[in-house]
């Protein structure tokens, strides 16, 4: 009996995910809406958290869970103003990263499909920036 190969292994394991988040955060750093949302000036720790989460999700090491517990991603995004504009910007950055990975079409579609659905699920406000969960529901404009 051979072990089934995980999607994590299929697409190249740690090196692929490392590169994916590296390209993604390089794009985030250039985005005037996304960059200010990150609490830390250094995006390195956020990149590590996203990488560990994605690695675990796709059947790789479970370091994310060991360090961060249950993902509860929607809840963890509540402090941030994730409106459709932020979502589209996030997806644009991720698209650049996925393109860079040059995966075979089937794997690329599998990964992209998930990322798109996850990004849509993360939207937590349709209010303009300054009104919404991050502002405690109070307008700050
Ligand atoms: C839709 C647009 C999104 C925006 C604007 C956004 C923004 C953010 C921000 C500002 C943080 C805090 C940075 C930090 O970790 O210190 C964060 C954390 C995180 N995000 Fe997102 N995110 C989005 C979608 C997603 C999606 C689709 C996923 C997963 C597929 C994801 C996974 C994560 C993870 C794993 C963390 C770290 C959670 C933890 O604290 O353990 N995000 N995100």
């Amino acid at each position: 009996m051979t072990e089934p190969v995980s999607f994590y292994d299929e697409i190249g394991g740690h090196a692929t995910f490392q590169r994916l988040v590296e390209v993604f955060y390089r794009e985030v750093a250039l985005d005037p809406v996304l960059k200010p949302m990150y609490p830390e000036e250094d995006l390195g720790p956020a990149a590590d958290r996203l990488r560990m989460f994605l690695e675990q999700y796709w059947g790789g090491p479970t370091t994310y869970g060991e360090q961060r517990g249950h993902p509860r991603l929607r809840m963890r995004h509540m402090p941030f103003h994730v409106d459709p504009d932020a979502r589209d910007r996030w997806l644009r950055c991720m698209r650049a990263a996925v393109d860079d990975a040059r995966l075979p079409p089937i794997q690329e579609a599998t990964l992209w499909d998930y990322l798109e659905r996850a990004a849509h699920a993360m939207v937590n406000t349709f209010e303009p920036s300054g009104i919404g969960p991050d502002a405690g529901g109070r307008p700050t404009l």
Side-chain angles (χ1 to χ4, degrees):
M1 283 270 289
T2 48
E3 283 282 308
V5 175
S6 65
F7 185 79
Y8 169 84
D9 285 323
E10 257 181 55
I11 67 168
H14 179 74
T16 298
F17 285 89
Q18 179 70 50
R19 173 77 184 159
L20 190 78
V21 300
E22 193 182 304
V23 176
F24 173 73
Y25 276 102
R26 200 167 69 199
E27 294 295 319
V28 168
L30 298 171
D31 188 292
V33 170
L34 295 181
K35 174 67 178 65
M37 290 173 72
Y38 286 81
E40 292 167 290
E41 183 55 33
D42 178 5
L43 294 175
D48 285 342
R49 287 188 278 272
L50 180 59
R51 176 186 49 75
M52 290 187 299
F53 170 80
L54 292 173
E55 289 181 339
Q56 174 171 302
Y57 181 88
W58 292 108
T62 54
T63 323
Y64 179 88
E66 285 148 32
Q67 292 191 8
R68 308 290 292 166
H70 191 288
R72 296 182 209 285
L73 280 192
R74 250 190 81 77
M75 193 194 76
R76 289 199 208 255
H77 285 77
M78 279 304 169
F80 309 111
H81 194 97
V82 187
D83 62 8
D85 177 54
R87 174 200 64 204
D88 292 347
R89 288 168 181 273
W90 191 99
L91 280 170
R92 192 197 56 73
C93 296
M94 202 42 108
R95 188 65 243 176
V98 171
D99 284 347
D100 172 87
R102 295 174 178 278
L103 300 175
I106 301 276
Q107 277 103 341
E108 182 188 303
T110 302
L111 181 61
W112 184 248
D113 201 57
Y114 161 75
L115 291 166
E116 232 182 356
R117 267 185 296 113
H120 277 75
M122 225 54 82
V123 171
N124 55 29
T125 181
F126 291 89
E127 302 289 346
S129 187
I131 310 175
D134 55 334
R138 284 170 287 103
T140 55
L141 293 174

